Amino acid sequence: PIKAGLLYPKSSETRETISLDGIWNFVASPLTDPLVGFRNYWYKRRLTAVRPENKSKIGIIFAITPINFFQVDAEVHFMPVPSSYNDITQNAAIRDHLGIAWYDRTFFVPKSWRNQRVWLRFSSVHYAAQIVITPVDTDNGTTYRQSYTFDFFNYAGIHRPVTLYTTPKSYIDDVTIKTTLDENGYGYVGYNVSIISLNETEELNVNIALLDKDDIIVATAEGSNGVLNIESPRLWWPYLMDPEPGYLYTLKIELVSLNNDLIDIYRQTCGIRTLTWTNTTFLINNKPVYLHGFGRHEDADIRGKGLDLPTTLRDYNLIKWIGANAYRTSHYPYADEIMDLADNLGIMIIDECPSVNTEFFPSSLLNNHLNSLTELIARDKNRPSVIAWSIANEPRTQSYEAGVYFGKVAAHVRSLDLSRPITIALARSVYEDRAGQHLDIISFNRYNAWYQNGGQLDMITKNVINEATAWFEKYNKPVLMSEYGADTMEGLHIYPEFIWSEEFQVTLMSKHFEAFDKLRAKGFFIGEFIWNFADFKTAQTYTRVGGNKKGIFTRNRQPKASAHHLRRRYLKLAQEL
Ligand code: GCB
């Protein structure tokens, strides 16, 4: 579990950052001996090799797993960071690699950093997971294979930026921001700053300023916690609900000494908005909101789950083009850079922790689950785009144990953040579910005319209406359809509609739209998320042709016929907002 704040590394008058992204060396440890690198002290040999250069003592910081690849009995590859390593080489053993992988690069720490704290941040390194490893007999003897129940490729590598950065010895470790409005339209920005100081006797002050988009100071305060009042604030509105959606202020936090010398400075963006919900409605700034968007994945050709800014921007441009206002970060937290853009563009996020298809509920899992939520909330608590926490996807919620388990998970989230509703993308039948009682919003995934009654387009509308209504009647909470869809091979045309064709996907959507409109008229239905934004890679199986093809866009981010169909609906929905 984390012990410190998770503020994103940013340069400022008192902080410096150096990106360590680029080409690293890479070795996949042999499956037959995954621990060889530890046993043979690869990293020590590397240190010996570089030490002569290390004249200033802080000339080199030793990276997490430095390794002298030139003495390693395994193939060394150049590997981009950030990226998944799986699809970079021509080697299927690396694509399917199981075990430890070693990354290495050398870097220098400027001498001028001597009196600073120096931090090394890996924004995301995959993978550790609940994975079943089974010995299998192959043409080349017995070997090990991973199998997993989640429906996305188990990419691994250094997936997000690596940053070397400084903070002063006494520094701003964290800040929590909460915003509210009153009946007169006044805005309130509550803040709570935590400071780590070099020694406890040191006396420090905190100066706060809130700046608008034009860098004009609109409020100031002193002290490590307090509330700023803003007479007529610009509110953070979702995309399409305001001419300038995603309006962000900046909270400038200065840590100063008693005689006002600047010690540290950090700038945290925030949006002024409220979230409220009733048993039928979800509201932003006291206005009911209908969510329409997608489930997504961090997935792209070649780079896998590696953060890729061209793909990220292309995706947001498609989201705007299609008129969506929300998505769920299925099935794990997304990169900070992706979330920052959601804040800026006014795209609403259902923020999901990495918990997929859980079947058993031992206490060891509960601990991991609570920790991952603690970390997710610590990282994303100040984001106006985050409008709900999704604490799991499709857990098996029919047992008594599952009910108790999710009661504990939900209570934990509420102990950390009461300002956002909690949901789960449920998939068991409404009659057997035992988790919904602990949630604020009922989300459900259902594949009518696909996994159930495959091909039966005349068995969608009534089923969706009946199921959503049954969820509402059971729990008396707002209901959202968090997944529906059909695999579709781009360019496959069959009419009358036949599964896997573009025509089938389009008509399947129309049948759902009909249900959604009828449900909306009933008053408790708050949103629709099609599965999926784009095609994505999965494990190899006969149900997946090069991956999951339920995308509205291809993996290359080009529209299928369904994208144009969805766009007509989403733009129409947007007009009602
Ligand atoms: C689901 C899962 C999602 C899968 C999808 C499918 O219910 O939540 O991870 O990709 O179905 O296409 O099977």
Side-chain angles (χ1 to χ4, degrees):
I2 46 155
K3 296 260 164 25
L6 281 179
L7 293 182
Y8 192 76
K10 286 180 195 166
S11 305
S12 75
E13 294 87 326
T14 58
R15 297 171 173 227
E16 291 183 68
T17 61
I18 294 178
S19 168
L20 296 184
D21 295 350
I23 307 297
W24 292 45
N25 301 310
F26 171 89
V27 168
S29 63
L31 192 51
T32 45
D33 190 1
L35 298 181
V36 57
F38 289 111
R39 207 177 45 247
N40 292 345
Y41 299 107
W42 285 352
Y43 71 96
K44 269 198 186 167
R45 287 196 262 163
R46 182 61 171 180
L47 296 193
T48 324
V50 297
R51 192 152 273 157
E53 294 173 41
N54 183 10
K55 293 209 181 85
S56 67
K57 284 234 169 92
I58 53 165
I60 289 172
I61 295 251
F62 309 123
I64 294 300
T65 56
I67 143 183
N68 186 354
F69 286 139
F70 307 103
Q71 295 172 36
V72 169
D73 227 3
E75 198 182 348
V76 181
H77 299 271
F78 289 133
M79 199 51 79
V81 170
S83 178
S84 302
Y85 57 70
N86 309 76
D87 291 344
I88 301 295
T89 76
Q90 290 303 97
N91 185 345
I94 289 184
R95 182 192 64 206
D96 301 331
H97 176 64
L98 177 61
I100 294 163
W102 300 78
Y103 277 82
D104 156 66
R105 67 161 286 167
T106 311
F107 55 91
F108 292 89
V109 179
K111 251 185 176 166
S112 57
W113 284 15
R114 186 169 282 139
N115 294 320
Q116 307 291 311
R117 290 184 199 242
V118 179
W119 304 77
L120 181 58
R121 169 164 160 143
F122 287 76
S123 293
S124 164
V125 180
H126 265 217
Y127 205 91
Q130 238 191 346
I131 286 178
V132 186
I133 298 169
T134 39
V136 288
D137 245 350
T138 70
D139 293 345
N140 307 315
T142 301
T143 180
Y144 290 89
R145 255 207 350 233
Q146 54 178 329
S147 59
Y148 43 92
T149 58
F150 47 86
D151 185 36
F152 48 97
F153 192 81
N154 190 23
Y155 277 117
I158 303 178
H159 280 158
R160 295 181 189 161
V162 184
T163 313
L164 189 68
Y165 69 103
T166 63
T167 62
K169 292 261 163 75
S170 295
Y171 70 101
I172 298 156
D173 181 57
D174 199 11
V175 55
T176 304
I177 301 170
K178 294 249 157 76
T179 65
T180 51
L181 298 171
D182 70 13
E183 318 78 69
N184 306 319
Y186 272 67
Y188 301 91
V189 176
Y191 68 90
N192 192 346
V193 176
S194 52
I195 305 296
I196 305 284
S197 58
L198 190 54
N199 57 59
E200 277 163 24
T201 55
E202 191 181 17
E203 288 199 55
L204 299 168
N205 282 337
V206 174
N207 293 334
I208 300 286
L210 189 72
L211 310 173
D212 69 11
K213 259 205 166 151
D214 302 319
D215 272 345
I216 312 279
I217 296 179
V218 295
T220 58
E222 278 180 35
S224 61
N225 59 70
V227 180
L228 300 158
N229 301 355
I230 302 100
E231 207 179 298
S232 42
R234 291 290 309 265
L235 301 185
W236 188 94
W237 283 105
Y239 179 54
L240 297 169
M241 285 180 83
D242 188 77
E244 202 178 335
Y247 191 92
L248 296 179
Y249 287 86
T250 299
L251 193 74
K252 187 169 94 179
I253 307 159
E254 288 179 341
L255 184 65
V256 294
S257 68
L258 276 193
N259 41 10
N260 232 22
D261 289 334
L262 182 65
I263 294 173
D264 192 15
I265 178 165
Y266 192 85
R267 293 175 178 82
Q268 174 66 51
T269 53
C270 62
I272 301 180
R273 58 120 179 84
T274 63
L275 295 181
T276 40
W277 56 96
T278 68
N279 66 326
T280 58
T281 315
F282 177 70
L283 307 99
I284 289 198
N285 303 332
N286 301 317
K287 204 169 167 188
V289 175
Y290 185 69
L291 304 168
H292 50 276
F294 311 89
R296 295 186 62 198
H297 268 298
E298 286 183 322
D299 171 275
D301 203 10
I302 302 174
R303 58 204 52 65
K305 284 199 187 308
L307 175 69
D308 178 62
L309 295 179
T311 308
T312 301
L313 268 305
R314 171 85 184 168
D315 286 358
Y316 276 112
N317 287 328
L318 291 174
I319 287 169
K320 285 168 66 181
W321 174 80
I322 214 163
N325 64 4
Y327 67 84
R328 177 168 61 117
T329 66
S330 42
H331 296 309
Y332 36 80
Y334 290 4
D336 291 271
E337 293 77 1
I338 296 177
M339 301 297 284
D340 286 347
L341 282 161
D343 285 337
N344 268 290
L345 296 171
I347 302 298
M348 293 176 280
I349 303 288
I350 297 183
D351 208 0
E352 189 156 279
C353 81
S355 163
V356 189
N357 296 0
T358 312
E359 227 166 311
F360 306 104
F361 301 92
S363 59
S364 53
L365 181 69
L366 180 64
N367 284 335
N368 282 345
H369 203 153
L370 301 188
N371 284 338
S372 87
L373 279 158
T374 306
E375 292 176 0
L376 178 65
I377 294 167
R379 194 194 70 162
D380 289 348
K381 63 188 171 183
N382 295 327
R383 296 189 177 283
S385 60
V386 173
I387 54 143
W389 304 114
S390 170
I391 60 175
N393 180 69
E394 301 201 353
R396 311 290 186 258
T397 55
Q398 70 277 28
S399 66
Y400 173 78
E401 291 72 36
V404 174
Y405 181 95
F406 284 107
K408 289 183 184 160
V409 178
H412 177 71
V413 172
R414 290 195 179 97
S415 77
L416 298 171
D417 180 26
L418 281 172
S419 72
R420 295 174 177 90
I422 298 174
T423 193
I424 295 179
L426 297 163
R428 299 304 295 201
S429 91
V430 49
Y431 306 105
E432 57 180 3
D433 173 75
R434 289 171 186 263
Q437 56 182 316
H438 305 296
L439 309 176
D440 301 305
I441 292 173
I442 303 294
S443 304
F444 73 101
N445 299 349
R446 195 69 64 210
Y447 287 87
N448 289 291
W450 191 260
Y451 295 124
Q452 281 118 277
N453 309 311
Q456 300 299 308
L457 290 167
D458 55 354
M459 292 183 73
I460 294 174
T461 309
K462 241 197 271 173
N463 278 334
V464 172
I465 294 172
N466 289 345
E467 177 164 15
T469 308
W471 283 112
F472 177 68
E473 282 169 357
K474 178 166 180 181
Y475 290 122
N476 196 28
K477 291 171 184 172
V479 177
L480 157 84
M481 191 160 198
S482 40
E483 285 185 27
Y484 70 96
D487 283 89
T488 305
M489 186 56 78
E490 62 188 285
L492 178 67
H493 293 284
I494 308 179
Y495 193 79
E497 302 87 343
F498 202 80
I499 61 167
W500 284 92
S501 69
E502 298 216 22
E503 286 76 6
F504 184 84
Q505 189 183 33
V506 164
T507 305
L508 176 134
M509 289 158 68
S510 297
K511 299 289 184 185
H512 281 85
F513 299 163
E514 209 181 312
F516 299 152
D517 287 340
K518 292 198 170 125
L519 283 165
R520 290 187 69 200
K522 291 178 165 220
F524 59 81
F525 193 70
I526 62 161
E528 56 187 84
F529 286 66
I530 195 166
W531 189 260
N532 186 284
F533 173 74
D535 294 347
F536 57 92
K537 187 156 164 159
T538 64
Q540 301 191 59
T541 147
Y542 57 80
T543 57
R544 299 284 179 254
V545 187
N548 187 310
K549 296 277 190 221
K550 295 194 183 73
I552 298 306
F553 297 101
T554 65
R555 203 177 188 214
N556 257 336
R557 274 56 178 184
Q558 296 301 336
K560 299 181 188 172
S562 54
H564 298 285
H565 192 50
L566 194 67
R567 181 165 189 254
R568 280 187 287 273
R569 175 170 178 81
Y570 281 4
L571 289 178
K572 199 175 96 217
L573 288 172
Q575 277 166 12
E576 299 170 16
L577 293 171

